[in-house]
Amino acid sequence: MYLKKLLLILFFITNCGFLTQQRTIAQNSKKDSLEKRINTAAEDSNKVNTLVLYSNELIQYDIKKAEKFALDAIRLSRQIHFKKGEASAILLLSKISRSKGDRIKSLNKIAEALTIFEKFNDKSGQAKAYFELGYVYKETDNYKKAIESFTKAFTLYKETKDELNAALCQMVMGHVNADRASVLRDTSYLRKTLNLYGYALQYYIKTNNQERICVSYINMANTYLGYNKLTKSDNFLRKSIDYSNQSLEISQNLKDNTRTCINLLNLGEAYKYRNDYPEALNYFLKAYELAQKSGNVLNKLSAMNQMMLIYKEMGALNKVLSISNEYLKIAKYNHYIGNLKDHYQLLSEIYHSQNNYQKAYESRLLYESYSDSILNKEKANALARFQVEFESKNKDKEIALLNKNQELQQTKLEQQQTIRNYLVGAVTLILLLLFVVYNRFKLKVKANQIITEKNKKLEKLSIVARETANGVFITDKDGNAEWFNEGFSKLFGWQNMEEYLQKRGKNILEVSGKDNIKDIIEECIREKKSIRYDAINPIKGGDEIWVQTTLTPIFDKNGNLKNLVFVDADITELKKSEQQVSDMNKELEAFSYSVSHDLRAPLRAISGYSQILKDDYAYVMDEEGIRTLNAILKNSKKMGELIDDLLAFSRLRRADLTTSHLNMTQLVTSLLEEVIEKDHDNVSVKITDLLPAKGSQALITQVWTNLLSNALKFSKKKDKPVIEIGSYPENDSVVYYVKDNGAGFDMQYYHKLFGVFQRLHSQEEFEGTGIGLAIVQKIIHRHNGSVWAESKLGEGSSFYFSLPNITS
C-alpha cells in the first residue's frame, strides 16, 4: 500500500512537472516569435505595434517585462510622431497599473489615451479605452459607471463592425448585472444578465467559437443558480444543470481542466439545492480530484467546502472534521482570510451541535478575529473606491473639455458638489482607519500586561480580546461586570474597572442603553446564539454615542452558563449619515411638492388669459397669431399634466400603505370600461381570470390605469390592436402582465424605461409626460414586489409586476 501511494505521488509530480515544462516551452516559443517580429520590422510604426502586442502577451506572466516593452513603444512612438501607437501603449500601461491594483494611475492613463484617440477620431481606440475604463469601475463596484463605459465601448465596436469585441462587451456587462443582482438581491438585473449573455452566445455560435460557447454556457448556468438563490425554483435548477452539461461536454473535448472543474462544481451545487446529496457529492468529488491533479487551489477549496456543507446537512459531522484539517492547512498556507472566516463559523456550529462548547467558542473567536481582518480590508477598499471615484470625476472633467462649452459648465457644477462629498467621506474614512491602526498598536503593546493582570478564569478571553479594536465587556452569568479590554476603555473613556463600577454601576441590567436588555439576554441564553443590537450609550464626560453590540453567551463543558461577552463598535457616524440621508430625502420631497403647487397659480393665469384671448379676440388675429395662441394653450395643458404627475409621484412616499385582499378580475374589468373610450372601439382585449393578491386598493388601481393606458396609447396606430391581460403564480408572489402588439421599444434603452421624465418615443409620435412608469415602479417596490418589461421594436411590449400572494 505504501509503495502504491509513493508511485502515485511520483506520477503526479512528474505529470505536473511535464505540464509546467510544456507551458514554459509554449510561452518561450511565443516570446521568441514576437521578439523576432520586433527585430525584423521594416517600419518603425510596425515595430511599435509589435511592441504593444508583445507587452499585452507578457502581462499574464511577466508584468515587469510587459511594462518595459510598453514604455519602449511610447518612446519610439514619440520619436516618429506615431500618436495612435503612443495612445495604444499608454492604454496598455493602464491595464498593467490595474493588474497591480493602482486604479488611480490606471484612470490617469485611460484619460490620456482617450484624449489622443478622440483627437484623431480613432473609434477603435476609443472603444478599447472605454472598455478598460469599464473594468476599473467594475473592480471598484461602481456598477452604474461600469455599465455606461461598457455601453460606450459596445456602441463604438458596433460602428467599427468589430463584432468579436462587441460580444465581449455584452458578456462583461452581463457580469456587472450579475454582481448587481447578488448585492441588491434584485432578479430584474438577472433578466438583464441573461439577455446580455444570450446576445453574446448567439455570436459565438454563429462563428463556432467553442471556447467562448463553453464560457457562455457557464455564465448561463451561474445565472440560473443565482436566480434559485433569490427565488427557489426547480425550473431554474433544471436550466442550470442543462447549461452546465453542455459546457462540460465542450470543456472536456477542449481538454480544459479549469472550466471542466467549474462545470462539475456548478452541477454539484445545483443537485445540492435539489437536496440530492449523493449526486452532489459525486460531482464535488470529481471536481476535487481534477483540481488536485491540475493544481487549482481555489477550485479544490471550493469542492472541499461544498462536501463539508453537505456532510453537515446529512449529520455526518465526523466526515466534516476529517476534511477540515486539510482545508485549514491549504487556506492558511495561501492566506485565504475569507475561506478561513467561513470555515471557522462552520466549525463553531458543528462543535456546538456536538455539545463541545469549548471548541465551539474557540472557533467562534477565530471567526470574529478573521471577520475583523476582512472588515479592515473592506474599509481600505472603500477608501480606495472613494479615491477612484474622486479621480474619475477629474478625468471626466478633462475629457469633457472636448465637448461644447454649455456641457462643460454643467459638468463643472456637478463635479464641485461631488468632490466636496467625496472629500468629506475620504477624510472620515482616513480618520477611521488611523483610529483602528492606533488602537491595534496600543492593544498589541499592552498584550502581555493584560494577560498577567487578569485572573486565570478570563485568560483565554483576554488573549483574543486584545487583538480587536472593538470594546469587549465581560460579565458573570448574572450580569455583574468582571472585565473590559483596552478597546472598551478607548470607546467609553473609563480608565479601569474600579472607576467604571463607581461611576456607572455593577450590573449590565442597570447600565445598558437598551431598554429590553433583559429580554435579549434571556433569548441569547435560551437559543445559545449571539445577538446583535444597536443602542445609545453614555461615555465618560456626559456625551452619548451610538453603539452596535454583539452579545455572546459562554457555556462551560457541561452546558451551564459561565459568562456574558459584549463586543461594542462605535456606529455614531453611520447613524448620522443615515439621518442626513433621511433628512435630505424629506427636504427634496417637500421642495418638489412645494414647487409643483407654486407652479399652478401662474399656469392657470397663462392658460386662462390665453383662452380669453382666443374666445374674445380671435377675430382680430391673423392665422399665425391663432396658431401661436393654440400652441400656448397646448403647452399649458401639457405642463399641467406634468405637474399633476410630479405631485402624484411625490405623494407616493407619504401615502399610507394599507393592504387588503384584492379581487383583481373585478378591479381590472371596471377599469377597462373607463380607460377604453369611443375611439378605441377597434381594440381587442383578451383577459383571463386574474389571481387575487394583497395590496393597496388605490395604489394598485393606479398601476393598472397607467399600464392599460400605455398599452392603448402605443398600439393605437395598429390596424388591429390587441391587448392581453393575465396572471400566474410564482413562489410566494403573483405575477400580472399587460401585453400589446403596439410600437414597442429597443431593449438597449431598457435602463431608461422606469426613470422620471424618461421617454423612448418622441412627443410628436406619442403624447405623455414620462412619469407614468416611474410611478408604477415606485408603487410596486413599496409593496415589496418587482416590475419589469420585455419588448421588440415594432412588435409590441409586455409589462409584468409581482405582488404578495394572499397566502404569504
Side-chain angles (χ1 to χ4, degrees):
M1 178 64 74
Y2 175 78
L3 181 61
K4 185 177 180 182
K5 286 184 177 180
L6 182 62
L7 289 172
L8 187 61
I9 292 169
L10 287 173
F11 170 75
F12 279 128
I13 293 173
T14 305
N15 190 40
C16 291
F18 174 75
L19 291 173
T20 303
Q21 184 181 19
Q22 291 300 309
R23 282 196 296 268
T24 303
I25 292 170
Q27 290 172 0
N28 289 336
S29 174
K30 200 165 192 177
K31 288 181 183 178
D32 293 341
S33 174
L34 287 167
E35 286 180 346
K36 186 176 180 181
R37 283 177 59 184
I38 292 171
N39 295 329
T40 58
E43 296 181 8
D44 286 337
S45 59
N46 289 338
K47 192 170 184 178
V48 169
N49 292 332
T50 308
L51 282 167
V52 170
L53 180 63
Y54 193 10
S55 176
N56 192 45
E57 291 291 339
L58 285 169
I59 288 176
Q60 302 173 33
Y61 42 82
D62 193 343
I63 199 161
K64 288 184 178 179
K65 216 167 185 181
E67 190 169 15
K68 176 187 176 301
F69 281 106
L71 292 170
D72 288 345
I74 291 173
R75 279 192 290 270
L76 181 56
S77 297
R78 288 172 179 170
Q79 288 174 10
I80 63 174
H81 305 291
F82 183 29
K83 283 294 183 181
K84 292 183 180 180
E86 179 185 351
S88 296
I90 291 171
L91 193 59
L92 204 53
L93 285 179
S94 165
K95 189 174 180 181
I96 291 170
S97 297
R98 178 167 60 82
S99 67
K100 290 179 177 180
D102 190 347
R103 298 187 181 95
I104 300 299
K105 189 173 181 180
S106 180
L107 275 176
N108 291 333
K109 294 299 179 185
I110 292 170
E112 188 179 351
L114 188 56
T115 302
I116 297 173
F117 285 134
E118 289 184 339
K119 183 177 180 181
F120 290 92
N121 196 28
D122 184 349
K123 292 187 176 181
S124 178
Q126 292 175 46
K128 292 175 183 176
Y130 280 116
F131 187 83
E132 180 63 22
L133 184 61
Y135 257 108
V136 174
Y137 287 132
K138 180 180 183 294
E139 290 177 357
T140 54
D141 298 334
N142 192 333
Y143 303 128
K144 182 180 179 183
K145 284 205 168 187
I147 289 293
E148 288 175 358
S149 300
F150 286 128
T151 301
K152 288 179 182 177
F154 171 78
T155 303
L156 289 164
Y157 279 133
K158 293 291 283 186
E159 288 180 16
T160 56
K161 303 191 184 309
D162 188 347
E163 297 292 336
L164 179 62
N165 279 315
L168 182 59
C169 281
Q170 290 174 313
M171 181 178 286
V172 179
M173 284 193 283
H175 297 340
V176 176
N177 279 302
D179 291 344
R180 264 181 167 176
S182 177
V183 172
L184 301 176
R185 301 187 64 78
D186 188 343
T187 56
S188 65
Y189 290 113
L190 289 177
R191 281 188 287 273
K192 295 180 183 179
T193 300
L194 284 177
N195 286 335
L196 289 162
Y197 286 159
Y199 295 144
L201 178 59
Q202 289 174 11
Y203 173 75
Y204 296 139
I205 292 174
K206 185 174 73 174
T207 56
N208 196 29
N209 188 331
Q210 290 296 303
E211 182 180 356
R212 286 294 173 182
I213 293 172
C214 177
V215 172
S216 296
Y217 285 150
I218 289 175
N219 291 336
M220 292 291 208
N222 280 329
T223 305
Y224 280 111
L225 282 176
Y227 256 121
N228 184 70
K229 288 176 183 177
L230 299 179
T231 308
K232 294 191 181 302
S233 168
D234 192 66
N235 183 44
F236 294 147
L237 295 177
R238 179 181 55 77
K239 289 182 178 179
S240 179
I241 290 170
D242 288 344
Y243 280 117
S244 291
N245 280 324
Q246 292 180 71
S247 181
L248 181 62
E249 183 179 353
I250 297 172
S251 65
Q252 288 175 334
N253 290 336
L254 295 174
K255 294 182 171 49
D256 187 337
N257 287 339
T258 299
R259 294 192 178 109
T260 298
C261 193
I262 292 171
N263 283 314
L264 291 170
L265 289 169
N266 282 344
L267 284 165
E269 191 170 358
Y271 281 106
K272 184 184 80 170
Y273 286 133
R274 276 185 167 181
N275 297 325
D276 188 348
Y277 295 144
E279 189 68 13
L281 281 171
N282 177 45
Y283 282 112
F284 288 138
L285 186 58
K286 288 180 180 178
Y288 170 80
E289 291 171 349
L290 186 58
Q292 177 98 337
K293 180 179 178 182
S294 62
N296 191 312
V297 176
L298 286 174
N299 284 343
K300 183 178 177 180
L301 286 176
S302 181
M304 293 170 72
N305 182 59
Q306 292 288 0
M307 286 191 286
M308 286 188 286
L309 291 175
I310 289 178
Y311 283 134
K312 177 177 177 283
E313 290 296 319
M314 295 171 66
L317 303 184
N318 289 332
K319 288 190 176 182
V320 177
L321 295 175
S322 68
I323 300 172
S324 174
N325 290 333
E326 182 185 2
Y327 185 92
L328 285 173
K329 184 177 179 181
I330 297 171
K332 286 179 179 178
Y333 179 80
N334 291 280
H335 304 291
Y336 292 151
I337 304 300
N339 295 73
L340 289 169
K341 182 202 76 164
D342 294 340
H343 189 64
Y344 278 118
Q345 184 181 26
L346 175 64
L347 286 178
S348 175
E349 294 170 357
I350 289 173
Y351 286 132
H352 188 276
S353 64
Q354 291 181 330
N355 295 327
N356 191 340
Y357 299 114
Q358 182 175 353
K359 284 194 174 183
Y361 179 60
E362 290 171 355
S363 298
R364 181 67 186 185
L365 290 177
L366 288 167
Y367 163 75
E368 296 288 351
S369 178
Y370 283 117
S371 295
D372 281 347
S373 298
I374 291 172
L375 177 62
N376 289 335
K377 186 176 180 180
E378 288 174 351
K379 288 175 180 176
N381 288 338
L383 179 57
R385 283 198 296 273
F386 274 118
Q387 291 173 330
V388 168
E389 292 180 10
F390 173 72
E391 189 66 25
S392 73
K393 289 295 180 181
N394 289 332
K395 295 307 135 188
D396 288 345
K397 180 179 176 182
E398 292 175 13
I399 296 169
L401 289 172
L402 301 173
N403 300 328
K404 297 178 182 179
N405 290 333
Q406 185 178 0
E407 294 174 350
L408 176 62
Q409 293 304 320
Q410 182 62 30
T411 303
K412 280 183 178 179
L413 291 174
E414 293 175 357
Q415 287 174 342
Q416 287 169 1
Q417 183 61 40
T418 305
I419 288 169
R420 282 195 293 272
N421 293 339
Y422 286 151
L423 279 174
V424 171
V427 170
T428 303
L429 276 177
I430 289 170
L431 291 174
L432 179 61
L433 289 173
L434 287 174
F435 178 75
V436 170
V437 171
Y438 173 75
N439 251 358
R440 287 187 174 275
F441 174 76
K442 292 291 289 182
L443 288 170
K444 288 180 180 179
V445 168
K446 295 186 177 182
N448 291 328
Q449 181 183 352
I450 292 174
I451 295 172
T452 56
E453 288 176 355
K454 306 309 170 186
N455 56 50
K456 292 182 181 180
K457 182 180 179 181
L458 299 173
E459 185 174 353
K460 284 187 178 181
L461 295 177
S462 63
I463 292 172
V464 177
R466 80 174 190 269
E467 295 297 333
T468 179
N470 295 328
V472 178
F473 184 84
I474 300 175
T475 74
D476 63 13
K477 62 184 181 65
D478 297 319
N480 296 314
E482 288 192 347
W483 180 83
F484 59 70
N485 74 335
E486 185 76 11
F488 187 89
S489 178
K490 291 284 185 185
L491 190 60
F492 294 101
W494 305 109
Q495 297 301 314
N496 50 56
M497 180 59 74
E498 290 71 22
E499 181 187 18
Y500 179 85
L501 293 174
Q502 182 182 359
K503 299 290 180 66
R504 284 286 289 144
K506 181 180 179 182
N507 194 281
I508 190 66
L509 299 178
E510 302 169 359
V511 302
S512 174
K514 195 70 173 175
D515 294 337
N516 62 335
I517 185 62
K518 184 178 179 181
D519 296 334
I520 294 174
I521 291 173
E522 289 175 354
E523 181 183 352
C524 77
I525 294 172
R526 182 175 62 254
E527 301 294 333
K528 293 186 177 180
K529 67 177 184 180
S530 297
I531 293 179
R532 182 171 293 172
Y533 60 88
D534 298 347
I536 297 177
N537 281 274
I539 62 175
K540 183 178 177 181
D543 291 335
E544 292 181 330
I545 61 172
W546 271 97
V547 175
Q548 185 175 83
T549 302
T550 301
L551 168 59
T552 302
I554 308 302
F555 300 91
D556 60 20
K557 293 180 180 180
N558 298 320
N560 298 317
L561 181 66
K562 187 177 180 182
N563 293 99
L564 297 173
V565 178
F566 298 80
V567 180
D568 297 327
D570 186 355
I571 58 169
T572 305
E573 293 303 318
L574 177 62
K575 289 291 184 179
K576 287 181 180 178
S577 299
E578 291 175 351
Q579 186 59 43
Q580 288 172 357
V581 171
S582 176
D583 292 344
M584 289 172 64
N585 284 336
K586 289 178 181 177
E587 289 178 9
L588 183 61
E589 182 182 339
F591 175 75
S592 172
Y593 192 78
S594 175
V595 168
S596 300
H597 271 286
D598 291 346
L599 287 174
R600 286 185 175 278
L603 184 63
R604 282 196 296 267
I606 293 170
S607 180
Y609 284 120
S610 298
Q611 189 62 48
I612 291 171
L613 284 172
K614 182 178 179 182
D615 294 343
D616 297 346
Y617 298 97
Y619 68 93
V620 299
M621 294 184 186
D622 58 11
E623 185 177 339
E624 178 62 19
I626 293 174
R627 189 194 66 77
T628 303
L629 199 57
N630 286 332
I632 293 172
L633 287 167
K634 180 180 178 182
N635 282 281
S636 297
K637 180 182 177 183
K638 180 184 174 183
M639 188 173 180
E641 293 171 351
L642 281 170
I643 291 172
D644 289 340
D645 284 349
L646 184 59
L647 280 171
F649 190 74
S650 66
R651 288 192 193 104
L652 288 177
R653 183 182 294 275
R654 300 189 305 275
D656 292 333
L657 189 65
T658 304
T659 61
S660 60
H661 291 187
L662 301 177
N663 185 331
M664 285 296 191
T665 303
Q666 182 179 339
L667 188 153
V668 174
T669 303
S670 62
L671 269 179
L672 284 171
E673 297 175 0
E674 299 176 13
V675 174
I676 298 180
E677 302 172 356
K678 292 181 179 180
D679 53 349
H680 291 118
D681 288 344
N682 63 331
V683 176
S684 173
V685 179
K686 300 176 181 178
I687 180 171
T688 60
D689 286 340
L690 301 177
L691 295 169
K694 285 197 302 187
S696 164
Q697 176 89 19
L699 294 179
I700 299 305
T701 300
Q702 183 67 52
V703 169
W704 281 111
T705 301
N706 289 7
L707 293 180
L708 292 172
S709 298
N710 276 2
L712 289 167
K713 176 170 65 177
F714 289 107
S715 59
K716 66 182 181 181
K717 295 185 179 181
K718 291 286 184 177
D719 293 335
K720 295 181 178 180
V722 177
I723 296 174
E724 183 180 347
I725 305 167
S727 64
Y728 57 87
E730 187 174 84
N731 299 320
D732 294 332
S733 301
V734 178
V735 176
Y736 301 93
Y737 59 83
V738 177
K739 301 180 180 180
D740 65 70
N741 64 339
F745 60 87
D746 193 334
M747 286 293 284
Q748 70 172 317
Y749 301 113
Y750 183 88
H751 61 283
K752 295 184 176 182
L753 191 63
F754 295 99
V756 178
F757 300 130
Q758 295 286 354
R759 294 176 51 81
L760 304 186
H761 298 276
S762 67
Q763 185 70 28
E764 291 74 15
E765 190 178 5
F766 296 102
E767 294 182 353
T769 61
I771 300 181
L773 290 178
I775 291 175
V776 168
Q777 185 185 62
K778 196 161 189 177
I779 291 173
I780 297 303
H781 282 180
R782 286 203 63 191
H783 284 77
N784 296 320
S786 298
V787 58
W788 66 97
E790 298 170 354
S791 182
K792 285 187 178 180
L793 196 60
E795 297 183 19
S797 304
S798 300
F799 283 84
Y800 302 83
F801 67 91
S802 63
L803 289 174
N805 194 303
I806 59 173
T807 60
S808 63

